[in-house]
Every structure is written in structure tokens, then in C-alpha cells.
Amino acid sequence: MTHESTAVGLASAYSNATTASGDWWRDAVIYQVYVRSFADSDGDGIGDLRGVRSRLPHLARLGVDAVWLTPFYVSPQADGGYDVADYRAVDPLFGDLADADELVRAAHELGLRVIVDVVPNHTSEQHPWFRAALAGEPGARERYLFRRGRGADGSLPPNDWESIFGGPAWTRVADGEWYLHLFAPEQPDLDWTHPEVTAEFDSVLRFWLDLGVDGFRIDVAHGMVKADGLPDIGRGAQATLIGAEPLPFFDQDGVHEIHRSWRRLLDSYEGARIGVAEAWAPSSERLALYVRPDELHQAFNFRFLNCPWDPAAMRTVIDESLSATTAVGAPTTWVLSNHDVVRHVTRYGGGPRGLARARAAAMLMLSLPGSAYLYQGEELGLPEVSDLPPDSRQDPAFRRGRRRQIPVPAGAPAPGIIAPRDAEPPARPQADAGPTPEPRLAPQAHTPTRPQADAGHAPQADAGGGPAPQAQRQPGPEAGAGSGPQAGSGPEARVGCGPQAGSGPVPDPLTAPEAEGQDGLRDGCRVPIPWAGAEPPYGFGPAGSWLPQPPEWAGLSVAAQTGDPHSTLELYRAALELRRAMPGLGAPGAGPSPDPRGMRWLPSPDGVLLFTRPGFACTLNTRPEPVELPAPGRPVLSSAPVETDGRTVRLPPDSCTWWAF
């Protein structure tokens, strides 16, 4: 007989034990909402918090456990909101604090938890603290990493560190001192040895916990502490070393005391509030330190996302990931896409083949022990939009070397030096053609202009702290998500950075070609998602959308796919329903099994993965042709129709099937 990919009426009868307990996060499915591309409530073409709230029923019906919101705080948007000017206020572009409060309440009423971003490694240059530092307020610079330069006149950066976004990680100010920014110059790094920094972020976390959020995704969780003395690295292309070699500015042991203190703070609140580390470390064992019992609850595991369509590579990644986190009693996280990488339909080859693989990979991910993260629109099988017109692109990296010349006003400081700002800061080059409003330090009415694209600073699925792999911009039939961070990758071109030793004359920072970095094509995974209708913006909002949507997306909308048992949306709904219904798909160790992870690999033909969990089996056929093998049980869900007589099964190519026994 042929088994179709449907599952009906199971979740109401059962629930995983961990979901009902305080350890909800151990096997939670968490949905990333990229706020500006999810739903627009006011017709400006940009998603907002009210839009998110209006679409929460979709997420509840999908069956996820929690929602992770990308940054919505007051920000000049130099790095897509990861440059925060006020951590306790909502940028008017996305609404106001009342909208955030109502969104959290509405989510809780639907049984959804809410996780928000916190950005502790750096602030915006428009943060009051940094403005005070540039203005020379006594003691203000001690909150950041200001240093005197090298050389007789201090004209060289204090060390050889490079920005993740390219060029030196230092910018010189008008009085000759330099400040550290591991990302854009508009993102000065904080000094976490200063007690005011520690106290401020404790207060920020309490502010949002008191509002009712259920946890934080911690941007650059590996970066807040730097090695004593800020030693040189001694080599270039430092972004390529992230996650591969020890670095004096990342993954220092001192970050763990910060995370322990935050764990104590989180544990002081009712309701199992969680912390999720966006961290890069040189080994799985170092990454596991972030999720020890007295530290954070989860850490993003990006190796699964970066894995090619190869069963041996997949099994290695799964085994090593589970081994590292099991050793410290923590769950593993899994992810396939986010707002910084090519959508996995396209990474796996695009077209029908890419979609088949993407559906199978999603089922594999959702069957593994631990917690899974979904990126908005993947439940619709959305591909990457690779043909956006150049004038619509808003990824700042796309504009490298193309930005318009801005006249330098009379009396301006020499190139490579920035002056203290007053109430009206000078203009910065922008990625889009429109003016950028004065950054807000408190919510106030304004007419928002089109923002720059969220750059994030993640080499992964996250969103946040590190470079996005360039390999992800070159999808092919067998492409994985990329091989790792690339030199100088990042969203925003360098402005006003000082010279490197031996570099010769300092170029004009407003007109010079930009450093090599990301290819600027990340807009393709950020196109607003389709909800309903035959024409753009497909229910995204009452007017257009900040990035154009393809005409063929009408058939991929939520409305078009709802009720179709063969659609990707209904596959995700069925998989999440079964994940809740089957006890064997709980957290690591759930159910009787000799393996503490509750998972065992079984022999299988070449190109096929087969593993069991209590009462459950999963088969993945990565081959381009069908494969026959003994049926491991009764099929309950498949990414493509399977043929079985109860004794043997014919697995379709590029497919995943779940079995009960």
C-alpha cells in the first residue's frame, strides 16, 4: 500500500512529559520571527509587533512551543537592530512598549512562550553611554574599551585585531584615543569588567522578565570578555578562525561567570525562563561549557545547518553534537535556516529536488533528541529569492564600494577620526537611498523611513555574532550551508577606521572602496512571507512590502497550502503534532532505552540513515533513487508517499519517513 504524508488527531491524546514539566525548553520547537518580514499592521511595508500579534494563531496551529523575536529595540539600524540605543524601549518603526506587552500576553493566551534578543557585547554609538564617552564625561569611557594607539604619535591601532565586518577592530576619536568594535564602528564593545555594565544588563533582563518574556537569545554570548592585555593575534583573516581556533576576543573563560549570574537571575523568576547562547567555540566540548547545569539552557548548534546532503556527514554531526551536550546534561539544538543564510530549499539544490530534500531534512531534524528552531517561511517550503533587483536590495554589504559620496563639512576632523557628537550627529552613508532619522533614545512619534536590512552578525542560523559563511551564497545541487566563517564578512562597510601598520595613507572613509566581506545577498532569505491572495503582498500588510515578493509565491501562501495533505505546511503541522503525541520523541533519555540519549542507530543500506527512539523509528533516504529495506514498523508520516506491504518498504528518493512500533 502507499502511505500518504498525513497525521490526524494524535496530539490531543498525548503530550511529552518534558513539555508538561518545567523543562519545556529541552525538546521545544522554537520559531524565529524576523519581525520586519513577518506581518505589517500599518501599511508602511515593514513588519511590526502588531503584525506579529495578529499572526500568532498561525504559530499556535502550526504547533510550535515558543517564538523568538529578532531585535525591535530603539536603534539607528546600522546593523539591523543589533546596535541598540535604548534596551528598554521599542523602536517606533515596530510599535511601542504597549505593543510588546500585548504581544507577550496574546502569545501566552495561545500557549506560546516568547524569547527576545539581548545584545550585551556592544551598544550603538548612539547609546547615551557612548555619547557621554565621546563628549568627555568623566569616567564614561571606562564602560567601553578605549585605548591609546601604538606608535610615537599613537596613530596606529592598539593591537592587530580585525573587525568581523572587515578592517581593523578599532576606530580613532578626535582626541587621539581608539575604541574597540568587533563588529561595525557604530557598535562599540562594552567593558564587562566595569560594575556599571554588569548592573545595567541585570536591570535590562529584569525589565523584560517583569514584562513577561520567557527568555533571551544572547547575541555574541562568547564575546563579552577579552583576554587580559588585549594581545595581538599575529595573523590576518581572523574571521576565518572563529569557531576553529582560540582567539583573545572570543570564548574567554570569563564569559561563563556572566552566564552563571544570569542563570541565577533567570531561576529567580517563576515559569522556567531560559537563556540561549549564540556562541562560537573551537570545539563541541568548549561549546558545551555554555550549557552546564549552572549556566545557560541552550546553545545554538550550527553544525547541522552546515552539513551537506550526505548521510555519513549527518550521522557524524548528530553523534558529536549529542555526545558533547549529553556530557553536561543539556539538550542539543538543531536548525536548518535563519535570516543570515540561504534557505535550505535552495541550499539543497532548489526546484523539486531541493524541496524534497528540505522536507526530508526538516523531518529528520524534528525527530532528533533536543530542541529545534524553525525560521519563518520554511514551513511553507519557501526558496531563496535570488533575482531581487539591485535597487530593492537593502543588505548593507551589497552596497560596499557603491555608496554615494557625502561632502565632508568644513571643520570636520581628519579622515579616520571621528568627533564627539552633539544632539544632531552627522549623516552616515546609508544602504538605501532615503534619509535615516535621528536615532531615538526613547519612544516618540515619528514617520519611519525604510530601514537598512538586518545584518545580524551570525555565521549561522541565528542571527547575531559572527560572520555568515560565504559558501552559502553559492548554492548547488549538493551544497551544504557553507563551510564556516569567512574573512571580513559582515553587513556594514567600515567607516572612519584607522590605518593598519604599513598600510600607507589613510583613505577617505566616506568614499574609499570597502573591505571584502559578505556578498550582500542575504535579502533573498528575508523577503516577507506570503499569507494569502493571488498577488503581492499576499496578505503581508495593507500595502506593499519592503522587499518584492515573487509572483509564483501565490501558490506557497499559508491560505493556499492549508488543507492540502501534500503541502509542506501540512507536513510541518503533522510532524509537530506527532512530535507532541509520541512519547518516544521527547527529550534526551525519555522512555526506556540502553542509550542515555534515547536513540540508537541501526544497520541500513548505503545512502540511508535508520535510527530508533522509544517506540519510534526514522528512515532517511538521501539517494536519488528508491531504496528497499525491511519495514521498521508502521509508517505514520512521510515527506513523500512510501510503498509498504508491512514487511518491506520502498523508500522514495530524498525522503524521510517516521515509523511507530
Side-chain angles (χ1 to χ4, degrees), residues 460-483:
Q460 82 284 348
D462 153 35
Q470 287 185 339
Q472 294 169 357
R473 311 302 163 200
Q474 307 296 329
E478 303 295 331
S483 58

mmCIF file of all heavy atoms in Angstrom, residues 460-483:
data_model
loop_
_atom_site.group_PDB
_atom_site.id
_atom_site.type_symbol
_atom_site.label_atom_id
_atom_site.label_comp_id
_atom_site.label_asym_id
_atom_site.label_seq_id
_atom_site.Cartn_x
_atom_site.Cartn_y
_atom_site.Cartn_z
ATOM 1 N N GLN A 460 25.623 31.712 11.091
ATOM 2 C CA GLN A 460 24.795 30.545 11.267
ATOM 3 C C GLN A 460 23.361 30.881 11.050
ATOM 4 O O GLN A 460 23.007 31.873 10.528
ATOM 5 C CB GLN A 460 24.936 30.033 12.702
ATOM 6 C CG GLN A 460 24.080 30.770 13.697
ATOM 7 C CD GLN A 460 24.595 32.110 14.062
ATOM 8 O OE1 GLN A 460 25.709 32.413 13.743
ATOM 9 N NE2 GLN A 460 23.810 32.909 14.687
ATOM 10 N N ALA A 461 22.751 30.016 11.811
ATOM 11 C CA ALA A 461 21.352 30.158 11.942
ATOM 12 C C ALA A 461 21.007 31.206 12.876
ATOM 13 O O ALA A 461 20.031 31.168 13.369
ATOM 14 C CB ALA A 461 20.750 28.982 12.583
ATOM 15 N N ASP A 462 21.274 31.840 13.375
ATOM 16 C CA ASP A 462 20.933 32.865 14.335
ATOM 17 C C ASP A 462 20.845 33.905 13.936
ATOM 18 O O ASP A 462 21.161 34.011 14.131
ATOM 19 C CB ASP A 462 21.109 32.681 15.095
ATOM 20 C CG ASP A 462 21.365 33.342 16.064
ATOM 21 O OD1 ASP A 462 20.970 34.000 16.071
ATOM 22 O OD2 ASP A 462 21.613 33.197 16.584
ATOM 23 N N ALA A 463 20.991 34.345 13.761
ATOM 24 C CA ALA A 463 21.001 35.733 13.800
ATOM 25 C C ALA A 463 21.998 36.213 14.748
ATOM 26 O O ALA A 463 22.160 35.691 15.732
ATOM 27 C CB ALA A 463 19.779 35.957 14.428
ATOM 28 N N GLY A 464 22.844 36.990 14.730
ATOM 29 C CA GLY A 464 23.700 37.597 15.676
ATOM 30 C C GLY A 464 25.142 37.280 15.471
ATOM 31 O O GLY A 464 25.528 37.040 14.430
ATOM 32 N N GLY A 465 26.148 37.167 16.167
ATOM 33 C CA GLY A 465 27.535 37.362 16.457
ATOM 34 C C GLY A 465 28.538 36.559 15.699
ATOM 35 O O GLY A 465 29.098 35.649 16.194
ATOM 36 N N GLY A 466 28.861 36.930 14.519
ATOM 37 C CA GLY A 466 29.886 36.269 13.760
ATOM 38 C C GLY A 466 29.554 36.387 12.304
ATOM 39 O O GLY A 466 28.519 36.879 11.935
ATOM 40 N N PRO A 467 30.411 35.968 11.427
ATOM 41 C CA PRO A 467 30.189 36.136 10.006
ATOM 42 C C PRO A 467 29.345 35.030 9.409
ATOM 43 O O PRO A 467 29.350 33.916 9.876
ATOM 44 C CB PRO A 467 31.611 36.094 9.440
ATOM 45 C CG PRO A 467 32.343 35.239 10.413
ATOM 46 C CD PRO A 467 31.683 35.429 11.756
ATOM 47 N N ALA A 468 28.626 35.354 8.356
ATOM 48 C CA ALA A 468 27.860 34.330 7.656
ATOM 49 C C ALA A 468 28.745 33.685 6.604
ATOM 50 O O ALA A 468 29.452 34.356 5.879
ATOM 51 C CB ALA A 468 26.633 34.950 6.997
ATOM 52 N N PRO A 469 28.733 32.366 6.509
ATOM 53 C CA PRO A 469 29.627 31.688 5.574
ATOM 54 C C PRO A 469 29.368 32.109 4.139
ATOM 55 O O PRO A 469 28.242 32.065 3.658
ATOM 56 C CB PRO A 469 29.291 30.208 5.785
ATOM 57 C CG PRO A 469 28.628 30.141 7.117
ATOM 58 C CD PRO A 469 27.935 31.448 7.290
ATOM 59 N N GLN A 470 30.424 32.529 3.429
ATOM 60 C CA GLN A 470 30.245 32.923 2.045
ATOM 61 C C GLN A 470 29.812 31.754 1.183
ATOM 62 O O GLN A 470 29.129 31.940 0.194
ATOM 63 C CB GLN A 470 31.552 33.512 1.508
ATOM 64 C CG GLN A 470 31.850 34.901 2.066
ATOM 65 C CD GLN A 470 33.076 35.504 1.425
ATOM 66 O OE1 GLN A 470 33.911 34.804 0.876
ATOM 67 N NE2 GLN A 470 33.187 36.808 1.494
ATOM 68 N N ALA A 471 30.238 30.546 1.543
ATOM 69 C CA ALA A 471 29.884 29.390 0.725
ATOM 70 C C ALA A 471 28.384 29.241 0.587
ATOM 71 O O ALA A 471 27.899 28.666 -0.358
ATOM 72 C CB ALA A 471 30.475 28.121 1.324
ATOM 73 N N GLN A 472 27.636 29.805 1.544
ATOM 74 C CA GLN A 472 26.186 29.673 1.499
ATOM 75 C C GLN A 472 25.590 30.489 0.359
ATOM 76 O O GLN A 472 24.443 30.320 0.009
ATOM 77 C CB GLN A 472 25.589 30.115 2.821
ATOM 78 C CG GLN A 472 25.999 29.198 3.953
ATOM 79 C CD GLN A 472 25.635 29.759 5.283
ATOM 80 O OE1 GLN A 472 25.126 30.860 5.373
ATOM 81 N NE2 GLN A 472 25.897 29.015 6.333
ATOM 82 N N ARG A 473 26.364 31.390 -0.216
ATOM 83 C CA ARG A 473 25.844 32.206 -1.311
ATOM 84 C C ARG A 473 26.039 31.538 -2.659
ATOM 85 O O ARG A 473 25.751 32.110 -3.675
ATOM 86 C CB ARG A 473 26.544 33.571 -1.309
ATOM 87 C CG ARG A 473 26.574 34.233 0.050
ATOM 88 C CD ARG A 473 25.180 34.417 0.592
ATOM 89 N NE ARG A 473 25.238 34.662 2.010
ATOM 90 C CZ ARG A 473 24.230 34.489 2.820
ATOM 91 N NH1 ARG A 473 23.091 34.051 2.380
ATOM 92 N NH2 ARG A 473 24.346 34.736 4.103
ATOM 93 N N GLN A 474 26.612 30.342 -2.669
ATOM 94 C CA GLN A 474 26.866 29.649 -3.918
ATOM 95 C C GLN A 474 26.157 28.307 -3.905
ATOM 96 O O GLN A 474 26.780 27.253 -3.881
ATOM 97 C CB GLN A 474 28.376 29.449 -4.111
ATOM 98 C CG GLN A 474 29.194 30.730 -3.984
ATOM 99 C CD GLN A 474 28.856 31.724 -5.058
ATOM 100 O OE1 GLN A 474 28.494 31.339 -6.168
ATOM 101 N NE2 GLN A 474 28.977 33.009 -4.765
ATOM 102 N N PRO A 475 24.833 28.292 -3.861
ATOM 103 C CA PRO A 475 24.133 27.019 -3.748
ATOM 104 C C PRO A 475 24.317 26.160 -4.992
ATOM 105 O O PRO A 475 24.450 26.659 -6.094
ATOM 106 C CB PRO A 475 22.666 27.445 -3.582
ATOM 107 C CG PRO A 475 22.598 28.785 -4.225
ATOM 108 C CD PRO A 475 23.936 29.435 -3.968
ATOM 109 N N GLY A 476 24.320 24.862 -4.797
ATOM 110 C CA GLY A 476 24.414 23.917 -5.893
ATOM 111 C C GLY A 476 23.673 22.657 -5.530
ATOM 112 O O GLY A 476 23.161 22.512 -4.426
ATOM 113 N N PRO A 477 23.615 21.715 -6.414
ATOM 114 C CA PRO A 477 22.817 20.524 -6.159
ATOM 115 C C PRO A 477 23.207 19.781 -4.904
ATOM 116 O O PRO A 477 22.376 19.181 -4.260
ATOM 117 C CB PRO A 477 23.075 19.683 -7.428
ATOM 118 C CG PRO A 477 23.450 20.671 -8.483
ATOM 119 C CD PRO A 477 24.165 21.751 -7.774
ATOM 120 N N GLU A 478 24.509 19.809 -4.542
ATOM 121 C CA GLU A 478 24.933 19.069 -3.363
ATOM 122 C C GLU A 478 25.390 20.005 -2.257
ATOM 123 O O GLU A 478 26.062 19.604 -1.322
ATOM 124 C CB GLU A 478 26.086 18.113 -3.730
ATOM 125 C CG GLU A 478 25.744 17.139 -4.840
ATOM 126 C CD GLU A 478 24.649 16.180 -4.424
ATOM 127 O OE1 GLU A 478 24.529 15.878 -3.236
ATOM 128 O OE2 GLU A 478 23.920 15.715 -5.307
ATOM 129 N N ALA A 479 25.047 21.291 -2.380
ATOM 130 C CA ALA A 479 25.615 22.266 -1.452
ATOM 131 C C ALA A 479 25.060 22.106 -0.064
ATOM 132 O O ALA A 479 23.892 21.905 0.141
ATOM 133 C CB ALA A 479 25.325 23.679 -1.954
ATOM 134 N N GLY A 480 25.944 22.239 0.890
ATOM 135 C CA GLY A 480 25.522 22.383 2.271
ATOM 136 C C GLY A 480 25.348 23.843 2.549
ATOM 137 O O GLY A 480 25.267 24.671 1.658
ATOM 138 N N ALA A 481 25.323 24.193 3.828
ATOM 139 C CA ALA A 481 25.076 25.579 4.174
ATOM 140 C C ALA A 481 26.321 26.408 4.201
ATOM 141 O O ALA A 481 26.282 27.568 4.480
ATOM 142 C CB ALA A 481 24.395 25.635 5.527
ATOM 143 N N GLY A 482 27.460 25.859 3.889
ATOM 144 C CA GLY A 482 28.679 26.628 3.944
ATOM 145 C C GLY A 482 29.678 25.946 4.844
ATOM 146 O O GLY A 482 29.358 25.076 5.620
ATOM 147 N N SER A 483 30.902 26.363 4.724
ATOM 148 C CA SER A 483 31.973 25.667 5.424
ATOM 149 C C SER A 483 32.476 26.395 6.635
ATOM 150 O O SER A 483 33.308 25.896 7.354
ATOM 151 C CB SER A 483 33.129 25.438 4.462
ATOM 152 O OG SER A 483 33.584 26.665 3.945
#
